[in-house]
Amino acid sequence: MSRAVLQVFEKYQAARTAFVQTVAELAHRPQNIEALQNAGVMSLLRPLLLDTVASIQQSAALALGRLANYSEELAEAVVMNEVLPQLVYSLEKQNRFYKKTAAFVLKAVAKHSPQLAKAVVDAKSLDALVGCLREFEPSVKEAACWALGYIARHTAPLAQSVVDAGAVPLLILCLQEPELSLKRIAASTLGEICKHSPELAQVVVDQSGVPFVAQLVTHHDSKLKRQVCQCLSQIAKHTVDLAEVVVETEIFTRTKLFSVLKDTDSVARRNAATCVREVVKHAPELAQLIVNNGGHAAIIDYINKAKGASRLPGIMTLGYIAAFSPTLATILITSQGIRPLKDALISEPEDHIKAASAWSLGQIGRHSPDHAQALAVADVFRRLVEVFENENSSTDLKQKSQRALKSVLQKCTHYKSLEPLLLTAPPKILKYIVGQFAKILPTNPKARKSFVQSKGLQKIQELKMSGNNDLLQYIDVINKKFPPEIVDYYSPNYAEKLLQKIETNDEDDVKE
């Protein structure tokens, strides 16, 4: 009799095992998700999380994690079915296999939105997840890192809750573990915490985490270098002091971070360029340090080889460096920094990249006549005008092109480059060009001669007739530097005046 009873329970256990394993397998395929949801699988899996058999609990959790991972709607269903408290309760008591799976479920729920991440926190999961970081098993630590990273990524308060749970020191210890995948996700999670505010980044600094992150820049694994560079960027971006902490690790050299700009992995290269950008933007001293170590040349080479959105951090880096001083801008010019910026302005399809290029070119050329001439000789003015006039250009691109032209043209004394623009530039740009000629021509006889020969004098007489008040004061200054008869000759109504004189003379002759 006892044997017959035992068989019933064995069959029931086998059926439960088969059910959860099959559902977990079905949930792995996206095409099955809707059918499983319609069949009410969520309410069937929930009680199995508290099953007496550990393997059934684990498979039930795995199935729920795969369902929650699929969509925000299903993740919300997991929360509504009050699955999270059961998971957290079991997370503290079960074996390492279940802990890994439970952390996966928490990650799958938290990743979709701040609200769902808050629900995971409200279920008192953080203490349990931080406890998993103390486990000996690397895969459990890794799963916990994933969950904590997805919680921290959404908002500063959520990241603060992760910090308050004591995760940061343990994440720094995870960086020092031999397992590569654990290093990657630990660096990523630290970056997710640091990105929100200077205060959160300072927590990592105060825990002496930056040197441990920085030393991984020279690691052979490209995916790890991605996360390391990203984490350092998130720390450096907030303040000068935090940027200096990153600089003090002495990674900004040709053999360390600058070598990542030549890595085989495009994301690692972009993140390294972003890290340089986040440091140089803060202060001239930091920009000078990067230049002294050859960082500007590495960035220029990077922009030359990169395409698309990957160019953006490098383009902005050159703009930040050039903005600080004429000396730094000159170094960029002599290092052939204008060419890749001009190429991006011409060839990149995305307007925000073109706009960044226009801004950076403006920062290089705005310092002095010599800087402006470098842009003029490179035919940058014409390209900026073309972008400004293009009806398909975004408002931001047009604004940045106009500002760049304004700041550089007001310094430009290279009249040979200004003359062709005078004939083709739109009215909003013309006032800067005519204004420059009003400064150049009074003191430069060669420029006055060239101005007449290039039809510039004729053009400004036409502009005078158009009645543009912004230009009249400049045109009057220019006209006073030429004999009146020459000015009259190039006036649009000169022929009419000449005919009137002839007619007047003829009438006088008839009267006589």
Side-chain angles (χ1 to χ4, degrees):
M1 184 64 184
S2 61
R3 180 61 184 165
V5 172
L6 190 59
Q7 283 181 338
V8 172
F9 281 91
E10 286 176 350
K11 285 182 180 179
Y12 180 46
Q13 180 177 327
R16 299 199 314 276
T17 303
F19 174 74
V20 291
Q21 288 178 348
T22 305
V23 169
E25 184 60 34
L26 290 171
H28 202 49
R29 301 184 184 91
Q31 64 268 27
N32 297 329
I33 299 294
E34 187 176 350
L36 288 170
Q37 187 181 11
N38 293 337
V41 71
M42 205 74 70
S43 58
L44 295 172
L45 289 171
R46 184 188 167 209
L48 295 175
L49 289 172
L50 298 177
D51 198 277
T52 55
V53 180
S55 62
I56 293 175
Q57 292 182 19
Q58 185 183 340
S59 295
L62 180 61
L64 285 167
R66 287 175 177 172
L67 290 167
N69 196 53
Y70 179 73
S71 72
E72 186 174 346
E73 181 186 356
L74 285 167
E76 288 172 354
V78 169
V79 174
M80 294 297 292
N81 279 277
E82 298 183 355
V83 168
L84 298 182
Q86 294 182 16
L87 278 171
V88 174
Y89 173 78
S90 302
L91 193 60
E92 296 174 339
K93 301 181 181 302
Q94 291 288 356
N95 60 39
R96 65 181 188 274
F97 302 109
Y98 184 85
K99 288 181 177 181
K100 179 181 175 182
T101 306
F104 166 68
V105 180
L106 295 173
K107 179 207 86 169
V109 173
K111 79 173 192 177
H112 292 288
S113 70
Q115 293 77 21
L116 287 169
K118 181 71 165 57
V120 172
V121 173
D122 291 343
K124 297 181 170 48
S125 64
L126 289 179
D127 289 340
L129 287 169
V130 171
C132 289
L133 293 179
R134 297 188 178 94
E135 288 283 327
F136 177 76
E137 175 60 38
S139 62
V140 175
K141 293 181 183 179
E142 185 181 337
C145 283
W146 275 106
L148 291 168
Y150 274 110
I151 292 169
R153 73 187 300 186
H154 293 292
T155 65
L158 287 170
Q160 186 65 55
S161 65
V162 172
V163 170
D164 293 342
V168 171
L170 296 169
L171 288 168
I172 294 169
L173 286 174
C174 288
L175 284 174
Q176 302 166 60
E177 295 288 343
E179 287 77 19
L180 195 53
S181 57
L182 182 56
K183 287 178 185 286
R184 289 176 191 159
I185 187 56
S188 174
T189 302
L190 287 170
E192 297 291 2
I193 292 170
C194 293
K195 74 180 182 182
H196 295 288
S197 70
E199 293 76 19
L200 286 166
Q202 189 65 48
V203 172
V204 176
V205 173
D206 292 343
Q207 294 289 339
S208 303
V210 175
F212 291 107
V213 178
Q215 70 183 11
L216 297 174
V217 162
T218 55
H219 199 279
H220 63 83
D221 182 69
S222 293
K223 290 182 179 178
L224 176 58
K225 284 187 277 191
R226 287 183 190 178
Q227 305 303 337
V228 167
C229 292
Q230 182 74 356
C231 181
L232 294 171
S233 302
Q234 302 292 12
I235 294 169
K237 74 179 184 181
H238 296 293
T239 66
V240 178
D241 291 339
L242 287 169
E244 286 176 349
V245 171
V246 175
V247 168
E248 285 167 5
T249 61
E250 298 183 351
I251 58 169
F252 293 98
T253 65
R254 294 181 188 275
T255 58
K256 293 183 179 178
L257 189 113
F258 298 155
S259 68
V260 183
L261 291 168
K262 298 181 179 180
D263 197 86
T264 54
D265 183 78
S266 61
V267 179
R269 294 197 299 270
R270 179 177 180 176
N271 289 355
T274 302
C275 187
V276 178
R277 179 191 70 192
E278 299 300 350
V279 169
V280 301
K281 73 180 184 181
H282 289 293
E285 295 80 11
L286 292 174
Q288 187 69 59
L289 182 144
I290 295 297
V291 169
N292 289 346
N293 289 349
H296 65 296
I299 287 289
I300 291 168
D301 185 53
Y302 166 76
I303 303 171
N304 277 322
K305 293 177 180 176
K307 296 295 177 188
S310 295
R311 278 179 150 182
L312 187 59
I315 289 168
M316 294 182 70
T317 298
L318 295 187
Y320 283 127
I321 292 172
F324 284 119
S325 74
T327 304
L328 289 171
T330 300
I331 290 171
L332 295 185
I333 292 169
T334 56
S335 300
Q336 304 299 315
I338 293 175
R339 189 180 67 176
L341 295 176
K342 176 187 167 187
D343 178 72
L345 183 69
I346 297 168
S347 63
E348 288 297 334
E350 297 292 335
D351 276 5
H352 69 282
I353 301 174
K354 288 177 180 282
S357 301
W359 172 77
S360 292
L361 288 165
Q363 297 306 313
I364 291 173
R366 69 181 177 85
H367 293 287
S368 72
D370 290 337
H371 294 87
Q373 183 171 336
L375 265 62
V377 171
D379 194 28
V380 170
F381 294 163
R382 180 173 66 88
R383 296 298 186 177
L384 285 169
V385 170
E386 286 176 359
V387 169
F388 177 78
E389 285 190 296
N390 190 332
E391 61 182 16
N392 296 321
S393 294
S394 67
T395 303
D396 181 56
L397 175 54
K398 288 186 176 185
Q399 288 176 347
K400 285 194 167 59
S401 300
Q402 183 178 359
R403 287 174 190 163
L405 282 165
K406 178 182 178 181
S407 61
V408 180
L409 287 172
Q410 288 176 342
K411 293 289 183 180
C412 185
T413 57
H414 191 254
Y415 60 86
K416 289 289 186 183
S417 298
L418 295 175
E419 287 168 353
L421 289 179
L422 184 64
L423 305 179
T424 59
K428 286 185 178 180
I429 307 300
L430 269 175
K431 59 184 177 183
Y432 309 130
I433 301 169
V434 176
Q436 278 307 103
F437 276 117
K439 296 176 187 176
I440 296 167
L441 297 177
T443 59
N444 193 328
K446 286 186 178 180
R448 291 199 293 272
K449 180 179 179 182
S450 177
F451 190 68
V452 173
Q453 292 172 336
S454 66
K455 299 183 179 179
L457 188 60
Q458 179 180 337
K459 176 67 176 179
I460 66 163
Q461 306 317 314
E462 294 169 4
L463 293 173
K464 187 175 183 179
M465 294 295 291
S466 70
N468 190 326
N469 292 329
D470 291 340
L471 301 177
L472 288 179
Q473 58 177 335
Y474 299 133
I475 293 172
D476 288 343
V477 171
I478 294 170
N479 283 345
K480 287 176 182 177
K481 296 301 171 182
F482 292 93
E485 58 271 21
I486 295 180
V487 174
D488 287 340
Y489 177 76
Y490 283 107
S491 298
N493 56 0
Y494 176 71
E496 293 176 10
K497 288 181 179 178
L498 198 60
L499 285 172
Q500 286 176 0
K501 278 189 176 183
I502 293 171
E503 289 174 0
T504 302
N505 289 335
D506 289 344
E507 289 174 1
D508 293 341
D509 291 342
V510 169
K511 290 177 182 178
E512 290 175 4

